[in-house]
Amino acid sequence: MIKHIVVAVDSSPTSDNALDMAINLAKTYDAKLSFLHVIRDMQLPESVLRMAEVEHIQGARTDVLRFVGEKILKSAEKKAKDAGLNNTASKVAVGDPASEITDLAKKDKADLIVIGTRGPSDLKGMFLGSVSRKVSNLAGVNVMIVR
């Protein structure tokens, strides 16, 4: 039985697919759904810079990333609420995405982690899906990788 699901969200197409899958599973099993957005130490993608520009954000790079992460989480929460889910939680973390995802799942005693195959990074080639692979290797619970 699935009682608690952690889903990593980052606004990429595969993350959106993972979110849809996690919402469906949470509804099916009447499970708690925890959303996690991880800020990693990397250069800001162009899409984030444009979002910050539109929102007139000025401040430290981490503040911009945290603001964007909060917006991503609010969108995920709204989608879950619109689907009829009320037992949800959200968190923005800073660090290595795979470690943060698996640490949250362990700390909150989640039964399942749902994650997209790749995030919004512009890195290609051997790095595609590296976070999802690392999560599947580190996790002490089942991991569903969604395309």
Side-chain angles (χ1 to χ4, degrees), residues 26-139:
K27 283 179 65 174
T28 300
Y29 291 100
D30 193 29
K32 179 178 180 178
L33 185 55
S34 292
F35 308 105
L36 177 64
H37 178 80
V38 181
I39 299 169
R40 65 170 120 187
D41 188 24
M42 59 185 259
Q43 191 172 18
L44 286 173
E46 186 62 32
S47 60
V48 172
L49 289 173
R50 281 194 304 269
M51 184 183 290
E53 216 173 81
V54 168
E55 298 289 342
H56 305 290
I57 301 170
Q58 296 183 16
R61 187 172 138 248
T62 302
D63 294 340
V64 172
L65 290 171
R66 187 168 294 281
F67 175 83
V68 171
E70 293 291 341
K71 287 193 69 99
I72 290 168
L73 289 172
K74 285 189 188 309
S75 176
E77 290 166 359
K78 182 181 180 331
K79 195 170 199 179
K81 187 171 185 164
D82 290 348
L85 295 176
N86 295 312
N87 190 6
T88 63
S90 295
K91 179 181 179 184
V92 173
V94 179
D96 172 63
S99 297
E100 293 295 329
I101 293 164
T102 55
D103 288 351
L104 179 66
K106 183 177 181 180
K107 180 181 142 270
D108 287 357
K109 297 181 172 76
D111 305 298
L112 177 66
I113 297 170
V114 181
I115 187 169
T117 56
R118 64 185 79 149
S121 172
D122 287 335
L123 296 175
K124 303 279 186 204
M126 68 179 193
F127 296 109
L128 292 180
S130 61
V131 172
S132 58
R133 277 196 299 261
K134 189 173 177 184
V135 167
S136 69
N137 288 332
L138 292 175

Side-chain angles (χ1 to χ4, degrees), residues 5 17-31 33 79-80 83 85 114 144:
I5 301 167
N17 293 341
L19 175 61
D20 291 341
M21 179 69 73
I23 288 171
N24 187 21
L25 288 168
K27 283 179 65 174
T28 300
Y29 291 100
D30 193 29
L33 185 55
K79 195 170 199 179
L85 295 176
V114 181
M144 178 180 285

